[in-house]
Amino acid sequence: MSKRLAGKIRLTITTLLSALLLSSASWLSAAEAENTPEAVVKSYYAALKARKYEDAYVLLTPTMIDGRTSKEYVADWKNIVNMGSVILHEYGISSIDIDGETATVSAWTRASDVFNKDGIIEKEIDHLKLIDGVWKLDATEVLME
């Protein structure tokens, strides 16, 4: 192999490694930026809306999982949604309160089901905990008016 070709190969490998390291660093920064109570709650409702229950599962504390495996959690959600013809139309955040390693997020959802074809808005308070530096959903309270 000529010295010129070897030099080009080294330059290509160095360039590729640098690009990989830079993209990894920016991905980590984006992931860290999403580690907020608001982002977790939005991700949770986005997963439920898209019926990606596996994605919702990873956002939960063991308390919220209640001993279920991911497969069991997914099956439970699919059963609820199918039996009630539930459709989550939209969701939003009203307020966020962070107190050390706990947070409460006031949220709302608009969903329809077999009994409410036009959909109703429910207000909720989502309780989160910081576990090993990651915000996780620990409990959800539905507010009745």
Side-chain angles (χ1 to χ4, degrees):
M1 180 180 328
S2 73
K3 288 184 182 181
R4 186 173 180 193
L5 180 59
K8 284 185 177 183
I9 291 172
R10 261 191 300 266
L11 179 61
T12 302
I13 290 172
T14 303
T15 303
L16 289 172
L17 286 174
S18 296
L20 180 62
L21 288 172
L22 286 173
S23 67
S24 296
S26 64
W27 177 82
L28 287 173
S29 296
E32 289 170 0
E34 295 300 313
N35 184 28
T36 65
E38 179 179 14
V40 170
V41 171
K42 284 183 177 179
S43 295
Y44 177 73
Y45 288 118
L48 296 182
K49 181 178 180 181
R51 298 181 183 206
K52 294 182 177 183
Y53 308 115
E54 302 87 359
D55 293 349
Y57 184 84
V58 299
L59 301 170
L60 308 176
T61 65
T63 301
M64 190 88 162
I65 291 169
D66 195 28
R68 294 175 288 179
T69 65
S70 175
K71 207 174 205 175
E72 292 167 331
Y73 179 83
V74 168
D76 287 348
W77 265 105
K78 285 182 178 179
N79 188 39
I80 290 166
V81 167
N82 290 337
M83 283 181 58
S85 300
V86 178
I87 300 171
L88 177 57
H89 298 284
E90 57 186 326
Y91 53 89
I93 305 292
S94 304
S95 68
I96 303 151
D97 182 35
I98 300 172
D99 184 14
E101 294 187 353
T102 62
T104 54
V105 176
S106 296
W108 58 269
T109 58
R110 186 176 68 83
S112 59
D113 58 34
V114 70
F115 301 109
N116 301 294
K117 298 285 185 202
D118 295 331
I120 60 168
I121 294 177
E122 288 185 344
K123 294 180 181 177
E124 303 171 7
I125 297 178
D126 296 313
H127 300 271
L128 294 95
K129 286 186 178 177
L130 193 59
I131 299 176
D132 297 327
V134 178
W135 286 103
K136 299 273 188 171
L137 185 59
D138 191 51
T140 296
E141 270 181 83
V142 177
L143 302 176
M144 299 297 198
E145 292 184 6

